[in-house]
Amino acid sequence: MDLVLFGPPGAGKGTQSKRLMARFGLPQLSTGDMMRAERKAGTDLGRKFDEFMSRGALVPDQLVLDLIASKLSSDEAARGAIFDGFPRTVPQAEALDVSLGKMSRKIDLVVSLEVDESALLDRITGRRVCLSCGQMYHVRYNPPPSDGRCGACGSDRVVQREDDNEEVVRHRHKAYLSETIPILAYYQKRDLVRSLDGTQEIDLITAKISDWIESAGLSPASQ
Ligand code: AMP
């Protein structure tokens, strides 16, 4: 099962991916996370990503495709994957189809999380993330423990992402509207898209997406 979680920055793709990953035993392939790892490691590639990420622009397609190629064919993703923040342009979606096709796979489902821009800004600027385990928080709606340590893993590395400030978020949203939204029409032609209100309770959203995944033929990993 190959699933794309689609939606604007801050829609909840990362949060839902982590829950679905645990439930269905599929890896989360997040190009944003992969790029942040390269930046943190201080590689040449990481410095290239930084040029784009720090101003909220999309990283050029070829760099993104090179980055994801080895993960796609890894053993971990042999049963499929949850794509989070990828594809972000129609050429990326086309390239993904070609790569999956070579492995006799295809995108089975595209879930679109819909959240309007004002709610997104509030969500993203209040977002905090644990650099050790990826657990997400929000300063008002789901605050990290008052001792500053991560409630999930105990690390003291709960921080605000550098690109989660208002100016960069507005650029990221513009890039989403101009370059990413057209992907929906691309997948709609194959009737793959299921949309839902991304402002609902987190548990409700997970339950709804899980139903769609199960209807598409994949059972939870524990069953
Ligand atoms: P994310 O963590 O998915 O919100 O991504 C953070 C930033 O990484 C984006 O604003 C882009 O600069 C870059 N990025 C992540 N994934 C992609 C992608 N598939 N295509 C182009 N740029 C990306």
Side-chain angles (χ1 to χ4, degrees):
M1 157 82 57
D2 286 286
L3 160 74
V4 173
L5 277 189
F6 182 89
K13 302 186 295 294
T15 299
Q16 292 299 331
S17 298
K18 289 194 170 55
R19 293 170 149 236
L20 297 167
M21 182 169 80
R23 188 160 184 164
F24 291 97
L26 292 175
Q28 170 199 24
L29 295 189
S30 157
T31 42
D33 284 351
M34 293 173 205
M35 289 173 191
R36 279 184 286 279
E38 291 287 340
R39 284 170 83 184
K40 209 174 122 206
T43 62
D44 286 347
L45 199 55
R47 273 186 285 280
K48 270 192 202 152
F49 293 149
D50 192 46
E51 271 175 60
F52 301 93
M53 295 171 84
S54 56
R55 54 189 164 90
L58 291 188
V59 169
D61 289 336
Q62 198 52 52
L63 287 180
V64 180
L65 296 172
D66 290 347
L67 181 73
I68 200 147
S70 62
K71 305 273 179 185
L72 254 186
S73 54
S74 67
D75 288 349
E76 187 199 20
R79 286 180 59 244
I82 301 168
F83 295 99
D84 162 11
F86 173 85
R88 247 171 161 110
T89 63
V90 171
Q92 288 181 21
E94 290 168 343
L96 177 61
D97 281 341
V98 171
S99 300
L100 290 176
K102 285 181 188 155
M103 298 184 283
S104 306
R105 281 160 51 185
K106 58 178 174 41
I107 295 297
D108 299 290
L109 177 65
V110 177
V111 173
S112 171
L113 296 170
E114 298 175 340
V115 181
D116 71 37
E117 190 176 353
S118 60
L120 290 171
L121 195 63
D122 177 55
R123 279 182 174 199
I124 298 192
T125 52
R127 178 159 75 179
R128 299 293 180 271
V129 61
C130 172
L131 290 180
S132 295
C133 72
Q135 176 69 37
M136 310 252 210
Y137 298 95
H138 187 282
V139 286
R140 281 190 305 286
Y141 312 128
N142 174 27
S146 52
D147 62 3
R149 291 196 169 265
C150 175
C153 76
S155 123
D156 59 357
R157 301 166 71 218
V158 178
V159 300
Q160 181 171 34
R161 262 172 56 176
E162 278 171 34
D163 60 346
D164 277 354
N165 70 71
E166 183 165 344
E167 196 194 333
V168 178
V169 170
R170 289 201 188 279
H171 275 104
R172 287 162 66 195
H173 197 73
K174 269 197 195 138
Y176 168 76
L177 294 179
S178 61
E179 299 182 64
T180 306
I181 282 270
I183 291 179
L184 273 187
Y186 176 81
Y187 287 126
Q188 264 155 356
K189 284 187 205 142
R190 281 182 270 159
D191 193 24
L192 292 175
V193 182
R194 304 286 174 270
S195 305
L196 82 173
D197 174 359
T199 62
Q200 299 174 92
E201 277 291 308
I202 293 178
D203 284 348
L204 250 172
I205 296 176
T206 310
K208 185 76 208 165
I209 302 176
S210 299
D211 282 351
W212 285 329
I213 293 178
E214 289 182 44
S215 304
L218 185 69
S219 305
S222 54
Q223 283 183 5

